[in-house]
Amino acid sequence: MTVRLPHAMPQSEADALKAREKAMAQQLQRDGVWRHLWRVAGCYANVSVFDLPDNAALHDTLSALPLFPYMDIEVQPLCRHPSSIHDDDR
Amino acid sequence: MTVRLPHAMPQSEADALKAREKAMAQQLQRDGVWRHLWRVAGCYANVSVFDLPDNAALHDTLSALPLFPYMDIEVQPLCRHPSSIHDDDR
Amino acid sequence: MTVRLPHAMPQSEADALKAREKAMAQQLQRDGVWRHLWRVAGCYANVSVFDLPDNAALHDTLSALPLFPYMDIEVQPLCRHPSSIHDDDR
Amino acid sequence: MTVRLPHAMPQSEADALKAREKAMAQQLQRDGVWRHLWRVAGCYANVSVFDLPDNAALHDTLSALPLFPYMDIEVQPLCRHPSSIHDDDR
Amino acid sequence: MTVRLPHAMPQSEADALKAREKAMAQQLQRDGVWRHLWRVAGCYANVSVFDLPDNAALHDTLSALPLFPYMDIEVQPLCRHPSSIHDDDR
Amino acid sequence: MTVRLPHAMPQSEADALKAREKAMAQQLQRDGVWRHLWRVAGCYANVSVFDLPDNAALHDTLSALPLFPYMDIEVQPLCRHPSSIHDDDR
Amino acid sequence: MTVRLPHAMPQSEADALKAREKAMAQQLQRDGVWRHLWRVAGCYANVSVFDLPDNAALHDTLSALPLFPYMDIEVQPLCRHPSSIHDDDR
Amino acid sequence: MTVRLPHAMPQSEADALKAREKAMAQQLQRDGVWRHLWRVAGCYANVSVFDLPDNAALHDTLSALPLFPYMDIEVQPLCRHPSSIHDDDR
Amino acid sequence: MTVRLPHAMPQSEADALKAREKAMAQQLQRDGVWRHLWRVAGCYANVSVFDLPDNAALHDTLSALPLFPYMDIEVQPLCRHPSSIHDDDR
Amino acid sequence: MTVRLPHAMPQSEADALKAREKAMAQQLQRDGVWRHLWRVAGCYANVSVFDLPDNAALHDTLSALPLFPYMDIEVQPLCRHPSSIHDDDR
């Protein structure tokens, strides 16, 4: 997920968007839906792992993010790796 | 990490390589170094997260994998995201 | 899904692989798992839509195909479109 | 088909465009022309299958969509696959 | 030749540009210079074949088109194919 | 259509393939199916325009070419351009 | 690191940004953090080598640069090469 | 060197920029620095060969061009070819 | 023009090919056809400028080169630049 | 510089090549020509900075490396950055 805010957006509008994005991201983490969230060093971008029952739920969650209209998102479908030492796909 | 074994490799050689790779991957997971390991659905590829003190340790670990000569590896430097609800970069 | 058989593969081996692939593809269609299957005109490639409960099942199905070692597969996660006239994601 | 509405477009204009697009998409689905329509999870994009007699009819249909000036469209020519269990290219 | 008119261009200006482009395209076709002109289905783009004595004449012709400032043009140098049944490069 | 014959192919086999390809290409031109055929200067490649009733016929024609297993083919769906001075899509 | 200042930015604002960027770049060089800094000939871009304890410190440093919102940054994780004649990764 | 002037730039400003660019290009040609200059047919772009003592001089020359802020420049380091019939790298 | 000789080619065969290529390149230079020839520093590749009456002559010349089957060639159509101080396209 | 040794190369031949490459790399470093040499973590690749009088010397140096036939090399022309705190381009 790479964020590209227009340079012309007023600072106050950008700050409000980011505050709402952060609140929702933290709520989704507490709900166990947004399972991992990392910053990509040097970029306004993150690598995230979501745990949702199906593609429709994933789309509803991502498209409800306040920064969704300003993000380039690339989705990779992941699952448990046969060499994992865990029983599930944590 | 995408694996491309040559079609000409004998099956027994490929099986031995994969067994050694799996054993090392599981040891590195137990050591806490290979922190996450997911299969990319539909590909002979994985998405992995490593926890190592620096780039030199990362290179030593990756280049010691039995399948390293047959893998295309793309490294993304990650760190804790400011919106993470955790104190560290888990 | 683009198929690349090595030119050096004996014709009989290629024919046997394709026959097994076709049998499995047709069984998966009858099971309702391989929901759509189109030929891309001018290419040894297809566009397919699968209906499976999760990414793990998708990977198991794709990696069990006889031609899997010779295919480049790109997976796009799809779901029902809000403008669809159907209630499900058919 | 990926949609890129300019951020500067007034919300009311965007809403009106989308409503007209949805109405036309549903009419074309009822007519059997827009045979399949899926949302790409995580993107403002869709994967669609059209059933039209020739390329000219396809172009006329696509270029008449209200969102056409704001869409990147990539057309792949599909046909019945020899492993399909159906007699036609459904 | 792919055309990208800015969304901000007034409709009347765009219409005038397109009318002048069409008139010049048809004159060049009548002159035998713009030998073939096809629409790429689903895109505001065309595939064209020009018959001009050299690269300088080609550049002069293309850069004189009213839509030239708004077009991405990719030139492929073509010639008669040895398997053609024609004596020239028609 | 770009041709990539393996360097290891015996010259006699390559010559036979090319002779069969040329014969079929010329027959298809005489039939009016392979409407245009140009060499791309500097490449072992051509730009071709086919006139066939639908995508299935196009795929059958292309996949029957002797060089088909050695070609990278990119299909662009074309149709009559509204600025064409001809009534059809010649 | 490639810099893309919007053409619409007033010259005085651009000059102020660049002055602050230069001051910070020189301070980081004196601190031993920004170890190497080269101009890419012909581009408004540089190649830089940073010496920082971890990815988080790297991200904090880069994202604090005055030109960060206008830069495309690609990070490559480097370490000592086994053929280096130095004991460290200078 | 590909030039991309913003469509919003007033015609008089664009004309003045181009006139200054042309004057400087011709002076650099007379000085023997800008050794070759070709138009790429069909594009607002050129292919140029410069003869300068080092990369710093090349950057100073290119970045002093009036159109530099509007150009995408790709530099390829060239030298005398061993099959050249000339003693220098003319 | 980038050359890729297979690693498996015997050294004597490669040397003979290169000697014939060099002889032909020098003859074409003496004929004024291969107007410029530069080595790309660090690559087994060159940048060349040809002066030929049309695309057919260009293709005949390039495809007659002994290394043609082992080269990736990208052709850019060039012509005199309006800012050139020369009357022709030298 | 990315190294791609063929999997079919005998281990002893690969080891001998690498030993010769290492010896030459270290000599060039001692000579001050190969100024910097870093490993790219996770890849059989390096990032290097050379200090040579011109492009011809650079090509001669790179093409004399024992691994040159097996390397993909991308050259970026660098020079002193105006924000550097050093007087030269170290």
Side-chain angles (χ1 to χ4, degrees), chain H residues 22 26 29 36 38-39 41 77-79 82-83 85 89-90, chain I residues 22 26 29 36 38-39 41 77-79 82-85 89:
Chain H
K22 184 172 185 170
Q26 294 192 329
Q29 287 175 77
H36 300 287
W38 292 282
R39 168 67 73 208
L78 302 178
C79 55
S83 297
I85 57 173
D89 60 356
R90 300 278 134 174
Chain I
K22 183 173 185 170
Q26 294 191 330
Q29 288 175 78
H36 299 287
W38 291 282
R39 168 67 73 208
L78 302 178
C79 57
S83 297
S84 173
I85 57 172
D89 61 355

PDB file of all heavy atoms in Angstrom, chain H residues 22 26 29 36 38-39 41 77-79 82-83 85 89-90, chain I residues 22 26 29 36 38-39 41 77-79 82-85 89:
ATOM      1  N   LYS H  22      17.380  26.404 -28.303  1.00  0.00           N
ATOM      2  CA  LYS H  22      17.971  26.248 -29.639  1.00  0.00           C
ATOM      3  C   LYS H  22      19.296  27.015 -29.736  1.00  0.00           C
ATOM      4  O   LYS H  22      20.293  26.496 -30.262  1.00  0.00           O
ATOM      5  CB  LYS H  22      16.993  26.746 -30.706  1.00  0.00           C
ATOM      6  CG  LYS H  22      17.494  26.541 -32.122  1.00  0.00           C
ATOM      7  CD  LYS H  22      16.411  26.861 -33.140  1.00  0.00           C
ATOM      8  CE  LYS H  22      16.889  26.521 -34.559  1.00  0.00           C
ATOM      9  NZ  LYS H  22      15.772  26.612 -35.532  1.00  0.00           N
ATOM     10  N   GLN H  26      22.902  25.226 -30.377  1.00  0.00           N
ATOM     11  CA  GLN H  26      23.734  25.511 -31.547  1.00  0.00           C
ATOM     12  C   GLN H  26      25.112  25.996 -31.125  1.00  0.00           C
ATOM     13  O   GLN H  26      26.120  25.653 -31.752  1.00  0.00           O
ATOM     14  CB  GLN H  26      23.009  26.510 -32.453  1.00  0.00           C
ATOM     15  CG  GLN H  26      21.737  25.873 -33.035  1.00  0.00           C
ATOM     16  CD  GLN H  26      21.113  26.661 -34.156  1.00  0.00           C
ATOM     17  OE1 GLN H  26      21.196  27.889 -34.188  1.00  0.00           O
ATOM     18  NE2 GLN H  26      20.479  25.972 -35.093  1.00  0.00           N
ATOM     19  N   GLN H  29      27.070  23.009 -30.153  1.00  0.00           N
ATOM     20  CA  GLN H  29      27.496  22.267 -31.334  1.00  0.00           C
ATOM     21  C   GLN H  29      28.722  22.936 -31.969  1.00  0.00           C
ATOM     22  O   GLN H  29      29.674  22.268 -32.361  1.00  0.00           O
ATOM     23  CB  GLN H  29      26.359  22.192 -32.367  1.00  0.00           C
ATOM     24  CG  GLN H  29      25.231  21.247 -31.965  1.00  0.00           C
ATOM     25  CD  GLN H  29      24.074  21.283 -32.943  1.00  0.00           C
ATOM     26  OE1 GLN H  29      24.133  20.708 -34.022  1.00  0.00           O
ATOM     27  NE2 GLN H  29      23.029  22.013 -32.582  1.00  0.00           N
ATOM     28  N   HIS H  36      26.630  15.298 -31.711  1.00  0.00           N
ATOM     29  CA  HIS H  36      25.578  14.861 -32.630  1.00  0.00           C
ATOM     30  C   HIS H  36      24.224  15.183 -32.021  1.00  0.00           C
ATOM     31  O   HIS H  36      24.059  15.127 -30.796  1.00  0.00           O
ATOM     32  CB  HIS H  36      25.658  13.353 -32.906  1.00  0.00           C
ATOM     33  CG  HIS H  36      26.948  12.934 -33.528  1.00  0.00           C
ATOM     34  ND1 HIS H  36      27.250  13.204 -34.833  1.00  0.00           N
ATOM     35  CD2 HIS H  36      28.013  12.266 -33.014  1.00  0.00           C
ATOM     36  CE1 HIS H  36      28.453  12.714 -35.103  1.00  0.00           C
ATOM     37  NE2 HIS H  36      28.939  12.152 -34.019  1.00  0.00           N
ATOM     38  N   TRP H  38      20.108  14.335 -33.136  1.00  0.00           N
ATOM     39  CA  TRP H  38      19.081  13.846 -34.066  1.00  0.00           C
ATOM     40  C   TRP H  38      17.701  13.958 -33.423  1.00  0.00           C
ATOM     41  O   TRP H  38      17.531  13.765 -32.223  1.00  0.00           O
ATOM     42  CB  TRP H  38      19.315  12.365 -34.406  1.00  0.00           C
ATOM     43  CG  TRP H  38      20.539  12.080 -35.217  1.00  0.00           C
ATOM     44  CD1 TRP H  38      20.684  12.261 -36.559  1.00  0.00           C
ATOM     45  CD2 TRP H  38      21.780  11.542 -34.751  1.00  0.00           C
ATOM     46  NE1 TRP H  38      21.945  11.875 -36.951  1.00  0.00           N
ATOM     47  CE2 TRP H  38      22.639  11.421 -35.874  1.00  0.00           C
ATOM     48  CE3 TRP H  38      22.256  11.144 -33.506  1.00  0.00           C
ATOM     49  CZ2 TRP H  38      23.933  10.927 -35.779  1.00  0.00           C
ATOM     50  CZ3 TRP H  38      23.538  10.654 -33.398  1.00  0.00           C
ATOM     51  CH2 TRP H  38      24.377  10.554 -34.526  1.00  0.00           C
ATOM     52  N   ARG H  39      16.719  14.223 -34.257  1.00  0.00           N
ATOM     53  CA  ARG H  39      15.320  14.153 -33.866  1.00  0.00           C
ATOM     54  C   ARG H  39      14.888  12.682 -33.889  1.00  0.00           C
ATOM     55  O   ARG H  39      15.260  11.951 -34.821  1.00  0.00           O
ATOM     56  CB  ARG H  39      14.478  14.963 -34.878  1.00  0.00           C
ATOM     57  CG  ARG H  39      12.988  14.763 -34.785  1.00  0.00           C
ATOM     58  CD  ARG H  39      12.415  15.287 -33.513  1.00  0.00           C
ATOM     59  NE  ARG H  39      12.363  16.730 -33.466  1.00  0.00           N
ATOM     60  CZ  ARG H  39      12.413  17.407 -32.314  1.00  0.00           C
ATOM     61  NH1 ARG H  39      12.529  16.778 -31.168  1.00  0.00           N
ATOM     62  NH2 ARG H  39      12.350  18.733 -32.315  1.00  0.00           N
ATOM     63  N   ALA H  41      12.044  10.444 -34.859  1.00  0.00           N
ATOM     64  CA  ALA H  41      10.859  10.664 -35.697  1.00  0.00           C
ATOM     65  C   ALA H  41       9.591  10.311 -34.927  1.00  0.00           C
ATOM     66  O   ALA H  41       9.468   9.230 -34.354  1.00  0.00           O
ATOM     67  CB  ALA H  41      10.962   9.840 -36.977  1.00  0.00           C
ATOM     68  N   PRO H  77      26.865   5.799 -21.156  1.00  0.00           N
ATOM     69  CA  PRO H  77      28.293   6.102 -21.331  1.00  0.00           C
ATOM     70  C   PRO H  77      28.838   5.347 -22.548  1.00  0.00           C
ATOM     71  O   PRO H  77      28.840   4.115 -22.578  1.00  0.00           O
ATOM     72  CB  PRO H  77      28.917   5.606 -20.027  1.00  0.00           C
ATOM     73  CG  PRO H  77      27.986   4.544 -19.531  1.00  0.00           C
ATOM     74  CD  PRO H  77      26.618   4.872 -20.052  1.00  0.00           C
ATOM     75  N   LEU H  78      29.322   6.087 -23.542  1.00  0.00           N
ATOM     76  CA  LEU H  78      29.831   5.488 -24.777  1.00  0.00           C
ATOM     77  C   LEU H  78      31.346   5.662 -24.864  1.00  0.00           C
ATOM     78  O   LEU H  78      31.923   6.547 -24.252  1.00  0.00           O
ATOM     79  CB  LEU H  78      29.176   6.149 -26.002  1.00  0.00           C
ATOM     80  CG  LEU H  78      27.656   6.084 -26.072  1.00  0.00           C
ATOM     81  CD1 LEU H  78      27.160   6.826 -27.301  1.00  0.00           C
ATOM     82  CD2 LEU H  78      27.178   4.633 -26.100  1.00  0.00           C
ATOM     83  N   CYS H  79      31.973   4.821 -25.665  1.00  0.00           N
ATOM     84  CA  CYS H  79      33.404   4.994 -25.947  1.00  0.00           C
ATOM     85  C   CYS H  79      33.700   4.399 -27.326  1.00  0.00           C
ATOM     86  O   CYS H  79      32.807   3.863 -27.986  1.00  0.00           O
ATOM     87  CB  CYS H  79      34.267   4.322 -24.873  1.00  0.00           C
ATOM     88  SG  CYS H  79      33.926   2.584 -24.595  1.00  0.00           S
ATOM     89  N   PRO H  82      35.866  -1.247 -30.651  1.00  0.00           N
ATOM     90  CA  PRO H  82      37.070  -1.850 -31.240  1.00  0.00           C
ATOM     91  C   PRO H  82      36.934  -2.139 -32.737  1.00  0.00           C
ATOM     92  O   PRO H  82      37.956  -2.319 -33.415  1.00  0.00           O
ATOM     93  CB  PRO H  82      37.242  -3.148 -30.429  1.00  0.00           C
ATOM     94  CG  PRO H  82      35.923  -3.403 -29.788  1.00  0.00           C
ATOM     95  CD  PRO H  82      35.314  -2.058 -29.559  1.00  0.00           C
ATOM     96  N   SER H  83      35.719  -2.169 -33.261  1.00  0.00           N
ATOM     97  CA  SER H  83      35.560  -2.390 -34.700  1.00  0.00           C
ATOM     98  C   SER H  83      35.446  -1.075 -35.468  1.00  0.00           C
ATOM     99  O   SER H  83      35.237  -1.088 -36.683  1.00  0.00           O
ATOM    100  CB  SER H  83      34.314  -3.243 -34.973  1.00  0.00           C
ATOM    101  OG  SER H  83      34.446  -4.520 -34.399  1.00  0.00           O
ATOM    102  N   ILE H  85      36.486   2.148 -37.562  1.00  0.00           N
ATOM    103  CA  ILE H  85      37.610   2.384 -38.476  1.00  0.00           C
ATOM    104  C   ILE H  85      38.320   3.691 -38.148  1.00  0.00           C
ATOM    105  O   ILE H  85      39.288   4.056 -38.806  1.00  0.00           O
ATOM    106  CB  ILE H  85      37.138   2.407 -39.950  1.00  0.00           C
ATOM    107  CG1 ILE H  85      36.053   3.468 -40.149  1.00  0.00           C
ATOM    108  CG2 ILE H  85      36.628   1.039 -40.378  1.00  0.00           C
ATOM    109  CD1 ILE H  85      35.653   3.671 -41.606  1.00  0.00           C
ATOM    110  N   ASP H  89      36.928   8.342 -30.929  1.00  0.00           N
ATOM    111  CA  ASP H  89      35.549   7.879 -30.752  1.00  0.00           C
ATOM    112  C   ASP H  89      34.561   8.770 -31.489  1.00  0.00           C
ATOM    113  O   ASP H  89      33.417   8.903 -31.086  1.00  0.00           O
ATOM    114  CB  ASP H  89      35.197   7.795 -29.261  1.00  0.00           C
ATOM    115  CG  ASP H  89      35.332   9.144 -28.580  1.00  0.00           C
ATOM    116  OD1 ASP H  89      35.769  10.108 -29.240  1.00  0.00           O
ATOM    117  OD2 ASP H  89      35.002   9.231 -27.398  1.00  0.00           O
ATOM    118  N   ARG H  90      35.029   9.394 -32.581  1.00  0.00           N
ATOM    119  CA  ARG H  90      34.096  10.161 -33.430  1.00  0.00           C
ATOM    120  C   ARG H  90      32.988   9.250 -33.880  1.00  0.00           C
ATOM    121  O   ARG H  90      31.952   9.565 -34.300  1.00  0.00           O
ATOM    122  CB  ARG H  90      34.811  10.745 -34.659  1.00  0.00           C
ATOM    123  CG  ARG H  90      35.971  11.714 -34.371  1.00  0.00           C
ATOM    124  CD  ARG H  90      35.499  13.117 -34.095  1.00  0.00           C
ATOM    125  NE  ARG H  90      36.190  13.635 -32.907  1.00  0.00           N
ATOM    126  CZ  ARG H  90      36.071  14.885 -32.482  1.00  0.00           C
ATOM    127  NH1 ARG H  90      35.309  15.752 -33.113  1.00  0.00           N
ATOM    128  NH2 ARG H  90      36.680  15.287 -31.394  1.00  0.00           N
TER     129      ARG H  90
ATOM    130  N   LYS I  22      33.365  -8.214 -37.475  1.00  0.00           N
ATOM    131  CA  LYS I  22      34.218  -7.025 -37.490  1.00  0.00           C
ATOM    132  C   LYS I  22      34.557  -6.628 -38.921  1.00  0.00           C
ATOM    133  O   LYS I  22      34.511  -5.436 -39.274  1.00  0.00           O
ATOM    134  CB  LYS I  22      35.498  -7.308 -36.699  1.00  0.00           C
ATOM    135  CG  LYS I  22      36.412  -6.089 -36.601  1.00  0.00           C
ATOM    136  CD  LYS I  22      37.586  -6.351 -35.658  1.00  0.00           C
ATOM    137  CE  LYS I  22      38.432  -5.090 -35.474  1.00  0.00           C
ATOM    138  NZ  LYS I  22      39.412  -5.265 -34.389  1.00  0.00           N
ATOM    139  N   GLN I  26      33.444  -3.093 -40.584  1.00  0.00           N
ATOM    140  CA  GLN I  26      34.396  -2.103 -41.087  1.00  0.00           C
ATOM    141  C   GLN I  26      34.142  -1.802 -42.562  1.00  0.00           C
ATOM    142  O   GLN I  26      34.277  -0.655 -43.002  1.00  0.00           O
ATOM    143  CB  GLN I  26      35.821  -2.600 -40.835  1.00  0.00           C
ATOM    144  CG  GLN I  26      36.093  -2.655 -39.307  1.00  0.00           C
ATOM    145  CD  GLN I  26      37.535  -2.870 -38.964  1.00  0.00           C
ATOM    146  OE1 GLN I  26      38.276  -3.512 -39.710  1.00  0.00           O
ATOM    147  NE2 GLN I  26      37.955  -2.338 -37.826  1.00  0.00           N
ATOM    148  N   GLN I  29      31.278   0.547 -42.674  1.00  0.00           N
ATOM    149  CA  GLN I  29      31.702   1.896 -42.281  1.00  0.00           C
ATOM    150  C   GLN I  29      32.419   2.594 -43.451  1.00  0.00           C
ATOM    151  O   GLN I  29      32.179   3.768 -43.730  1.00  0.00           O
ATOM    152  CB  GLN I  29      32.634   1.830 -41.073  1.00  0.00           C
ATOM    153  CG  GLN I  29      31.926   1.477 -39.771  1.00  0.00           C
ATOM    154  CD  GLN I  29      32.907   1.315 -38.626  1.00  0.00           C
ATOM    155  OE1 GLN I  29      33.383   2.293 -38.066  1.00  0.00           O
ATOM    156  NE2 GLN I  29      33.227   0.076 -38.294  1.00  0.00           N
ATOM    157  N   HIS I  36      27.952   5.608 -37.638  1.00  0.00           N
ATOM    158  CA  HIS I  36      28.593   5.745 -36.324  1.00  0.00           C
ATOM    159  C   HIS I  36      28.520   4.415 -35.599  1.00  0.00           C
ATOM    160  O   HIS I  36      27.549   3.656 -35.763  1.00  0.00           O
ATOM    161  CB  HIS I  36      27.895   6.810 -35.473  1.00  0.00           C
ATOM    162  CG  HIS I  36      27.937   8.175 -36.074  1.00  0.00           C
ATOM    163  ND1 HIS I  36      29.076   8.927 -36.102  1.00  0.00           N
ATOM    164  CD2 HIS I  36      26.984   8.914 -36.691  1.00  0.00           C
ATOM    165  CE1 HIS I  36      28.809  10.086 -36.701  1.00  0.00           C
ATOM    166  NE2 HIS I  36      27.560  10.097 -37.074  1.00  0.00           N
ATOM    167  N   TRP I  38      29.516   3.057 -31.592  1.00  0.00           N
ATOM    168  CA  TRP I  38      30.120   3.257 -30.271  1.00  0.00           C
ATOM    169  C   TRP I  38      29.912   2.019 -29.423  1.00  0.00           C
ATOM    170  O   TRP I  38      28.880   1.325 -29.510  1.00  0.00           O
ATOM    171  CB  TRP I  38      29.462   4.443 -29.539  1.00  0.00           C
ATOM    172  CG  TRP I  38      29.737   5.784 -30.122  1.00  0.00           C
ATOM    173  CD1 TRP I  38      30.871   6.522 -29.995  1.00  0.00           C
ATOM    174  CD2 TRP I  38      28.843   6.578 -30.918  1.00  0.00           C
ATOM    175  NE1 TRP I  38      30.739   7.724 -30.658  1.00  0.00           N
ATOM    176  CE2 TRP I  38      29.508   7.789 -31.228  1.00  0.00           C
ATOM    177  CE3 TRP I  38      27.542   6.400 -31.381  1.00  0.00           C
ATOM    178  CZ2 TRP I  38      28.928   8.794 -31.983  1.00  0.00           C
ATOM    179  CZ3 TRP I  38      26.957   7.392 -32.133  1.00  0.00           C
ATOM    180  CH2 TRP I  38      27.653   8.579 -32.438  1.00  0.00           C
ATOM    181  N   ARG I  39      30.849   1.742 -28.565  1.00  0.00           N
ATOM    182  CA  ARG I  39      30.719   0.737 -27.534  1.00  0.00           C
ATOM    183  C   ARG I  39      29.930   1.336 -26.366  1.00  0.00           C
ATOM    184  O   ARG I  39      30.165   2.493 -25.996  1.00  0.00           O
ATOM    185  CB  ARG I  39      32.129   0.325 -27.048  1.00  0.00           C
ATOM    186  CG  ARG I  39      32.185  -0.504 -25.805  1.00  0.00           C
ATOM    187  CD  ARG I  39      31.602  -1.867 -25.969  1.00  0.00           C
ATOM    188  NE  ARG I  39      32.443  -2.755 -26.744  1.00  0.00           N
ATOM    189  CZ  ARG I  39      31.941  -3.766 -27.453  1.00  0.00           C
ATOM    190  NH1 ARG I  39      30.640  -3.989 -27.502  1.00  0.00           N
ATOM    191  NH2 ARG I  39      32.740  -4.552 -28.138  1.00  0.00           N
ATOM    192  N   ALA I  41      29.807   1.432 -22.627  1.00  0.00           N
ATOM    193  CA  ALA I  41      30.779   1.061 -21.593  1.00  0.00           C
ATOM    194  C   ALA I  41      30.166   0.081 -20.606  1.00  0.00           C
ATOM    195  O   ALA I  41      29.087   0.312 -20.056  1.00  0.00           O
ATOM    196  CB  ALA I  41      31.268   2.311 -20.860  1.00  0.00           C
ATOM    197  N   PRO I  77      13.954   5.362 -35.359  1.00  0.00           N
ATOM    198  CA  PRO I  77      14.049   6.146 -36.595  1.00  0.00           C
ATOM    199  C   PRO I  77      14.475   7.582 -36.297  1.00  0.00           C
ATOM    200  O   PRO I  77      13.781   8.302 -35.589  1.00  0.00           O
ATOM    201  CB  PRO I  77      12.623   6.086 -37.159  1.00  0.00           C
ATOM    202  CG  PRO I  77      11.745   5.869 -35.979  1.00  0.00           C
ATOM    203  CD  PRO I  77      12.559   5.157 -34.944  1.00  0.00           C
ATOM    204  N   LEU I  78      15.637   7.991 -36.817  1.00  0.00           N
ATOM    205  CA  LEU I  78      16.164   9.336 -36.553  1.00  0.00           C
ATOM    206  C   LEU I  78      16.104  10.183 -37.821  1.00  0.00           C
ATOM    207  O   LEU I  78      16.058   9.668 -38.934  1.00  0.00           O
ATOM    208  CB  LEU I  78      17.616   9.250 -36.071  1.00  0.00           C
ATOM    209  CG  LEU I  78      17.864   8.430 -34.812  1.00  0.00           C
ATOM    210  CD1 LEU I  78      19.355   8.402 -34.494  1.00  0.00           C
ATOM    211  CD2 LEU I  78      17.089   8.985 -33.628  1.00  0.00           C
ATOM    212  N   CYS I  79      16.143  11.493 -37.636  1.00  0.00           N
ATOM    213  CA  CYS I  79      16.231  12.400 -38.781  1.00  0.00           C
ATOM    214  C   CYS I  79      16.913  13.686 -38.315  1.00  0.00           C
ATOM    215  O   CYS I  79      17.252  13.824 -37.142  1.00  0.00           O
ATOM    216  CB  CYS I  79      14.846  12.689 -39.372  1.00  0.00           C
ATOM    217  SG  CYS I  79      13.662  13.366 -38.205  1.00  0.00           S
ATOM    218  N   PRO I  82      15.805  20.100 -35.968  1.00  0.00           N
ATOM    219  CA  PRO I  82      15.709  21.504 -36.426  1.00  0.00           C
ATOM    220  C   PRO I  82      16.747  22.413 -35.763  1.00  0.00           C
ATOM    221  O   PRO I  82      17.021  23.492 -36.282  1.00  0.00           O
ATOM    222  CB  PRO I  82      14.284  21.910 -36.052  1.00  0.00           C
ATOM    223  CG  PRO I  82      13.822  20.907 -35.055  1.00  0.00           C
ATOM    224  CD  PRO I  82      14.564  19.639 -35.358  1.00  0.00           C
ATOM    225  N   SER I  83      17.323  22.001 -34.640  1.00  0.00           N
ATOM    226  CA  SER I  83      18.352  22.837 -34.017  1.00  0.00           C
ATOM    227  C   SER I  83      19.748  22.435 -34.445  1.00  0.00           C
ATOM    228  O   SER I  83      20.725  22.984 -33.941  1.00  0.00           O
ATOM    229  CB  SER I  83      18.252  22.746 -32.485  1.00  0.00           C
ATOM    230  OG  SER I  83      17.025  23.246 -32.037  1.00  0.00           O
ATOM    231  N   SER I  84      19.868  21.490 -35.376  1.00  0.00           N
ATOM    232  CA  SER I  84      21.198  21.090 -35.830  1.00  0.00           C
ATOM    233  C   SER I  84      21.837  22.234 -36.620  1.00  0.00           C
ATOM    234  O   SER I  84      21.160  22.986 -37.325  1.00  0.00           O
ATOM    235  CB  SER I  84      21.095  19.838 -36.701  1.00  0.00           C
ATOM    236  OG  SER I  84      22.365  19.548 -37.268  1.00  0.00           O
ATOM    237  N   ILE I  85      23.167  22.339 -36.504  1.00  0.00           N
ATOM    238  CA  ILE I  85      23.852  23.397 -37.260  1.00  0.00           C
ATOM    239  C   ILE I  85      24.284  22.889 -38.629  1.00  0.00           C
ATOM    240  O   ILE I  85      24.873  23.618 -39.415  1.00  0.00           O
ATOM    241  CB  ILE I  85      25.086  23.931 -36.493  1.00  0.00           C
ATOM    242  CG1 ILE I  85      26.065  22.785 -36.179  1.00  0.00           C
ATOM    243  CG2 ILE I  85      24.676  24.634 -35.226  1.00  0.00           C
ATOM    244  CD1 ILE I  85      27.398  23.265 -35.598  1.00  0.00           C
ATOM    245  N   ASP I  89      21.579  15.350 -42.034  1.00  0.00           N
ATOM    246  CA  ASP I  89      21.385  14.683 -40.746  1.00  0.00           C
ATOM    247  C   ASP I  89      22.653  13.992 -40.271  1.00  0.00           C
ATOM    248  O   ASP I  89      22.593  13.004 -39.555  1.00  0.00           O
ATOM    249  CB  ASP I  89      20.217  13.692 -40.828  1.00  0.00           C
ATOM    250  CG  ASP I  89      20.485  12.604 -41.858  1.00  0.00           C
ATOM    251  OD1 ASP I  89      21.526  12.678 -42.554  1.00  0.00           O
ATOM    252  OD2 ASP I  89      19.661  11.699 -41.977  1.00  0.00           O
TER     253      ASP I  89
END
